[in-house]
Amino acid sequence: MTPLLFMVLAMEMGVIITMLFHSPLRNLIIVSLDRLKQGRGLVTSRTIAATVFTVFVFNVYDILKTQKRLIEFGTTNPTDEVLLANNVLDASLMGFCLFLALMIDRLHYYVKELWLLRKSLKVTRDSNPIQPVNKNKKA
């Protein structure tokens, strides 16, 4: 599961970096995120996020259970140490994935709002141009 989470993290970071800079690829990502948020795509993405969150909570619970067992017995078992390290890695990667997914969602919202705001300002400016006043002209 760890290689899959690293791959998802790399893809999410790539999407975030692409959304930060204006490029044709950014427009493609915005359009694909718009389509993802319509219809069944939104339900699917929320279901996946809920599943990852559930596994994340289970990993945190397992980490706490292993630490409690280590404290009770006072000795460290090499198997428990390896399982603990693996669970900490998986939990941190899942938490980062969820955080980056939330960041992508917010970036998509802000980029789209900025685009709509610029479009409305351009329409307003073109429809009602402000004429400069020529102070040097004598009447």
Side-chain angles (χ1 to χ4, degrees):
M1 184 144 169
T2 304
L4 175 68
L5 289 171
F6 274 116
M7 186 180 67
V8 169
L9 273 175
M11 290 173 56
E12 286 180 339
M13 284 189 263
V15 168
I16 288 172
I17 294 295
T18 306
M19 288 180 70
L20 289 177
F21 302 107
H22 188 70
S23 67
L25 193 56
R26 175 181 172 183
N27 296 337
L28 178 67
I29 289 175
I30 296 294
V31 169
S32 59
L33 285 173
D34 284 339
R35 289 190 180 176
L36 178 72
K37 289 185 178 184
Q38 295 174 357
R40 293 185 183 178
L42 183 63
V43 175
T44 305
S45 63
R46 286 187 179 172
T47 304
I48 291 170
T51 305
V52 170
F53 182 73
T54 304
V55 175
F56 171 74
V57 169
F58 175 74
N59 272 341
V60 170
Y61 175 75
D62 201 24
I63 289 168
L64 294 175
K65 189 172 69 173
T66 305
Q67 284 181 344
K68 183 179 175 185
R69 188 171 53 231
L70 290 174
I71 291 172
E72 283 179 3
F73 293 127
T75 60
T76 58
N77 186 358
T79 305
D80 284 341
E81 287 180 3
V82 170
L83 289 174
L84 182 66
N86 192 23
N87 284 336
V88 168
L89 179 63
D90 283 346
S92 63
L93 289 175
M94 281 185 244
F96 293 149
C97 283
L98 291 172
F99 173 73
L100 290 179
L102 180 67
M103 197 169 164
I104 287 172
D105 181 51
R106 293 291 87 199
L107 268 174
H108 173 251
Y109 175 76
Y110 291 137
V111 167
K112 195 164 183 184
E113 284 295 319
L114 182 65
W115 180 69
L116 290 173
L117 181 64
R118 285 182 180 169
K119 187 177 178 183
S120 68
L121 286 177
K122 184 178 179 184
V123 168
T124 306
R125 187 174 48 222
D126 290 341
S127 64
N128 188 12
I130 299 172
Q131 299 296 328
V133 177
N134 191 355
K135 294 183 179 180
N136 295 333
K137 187 177 181 182
K138 295 181 181 179

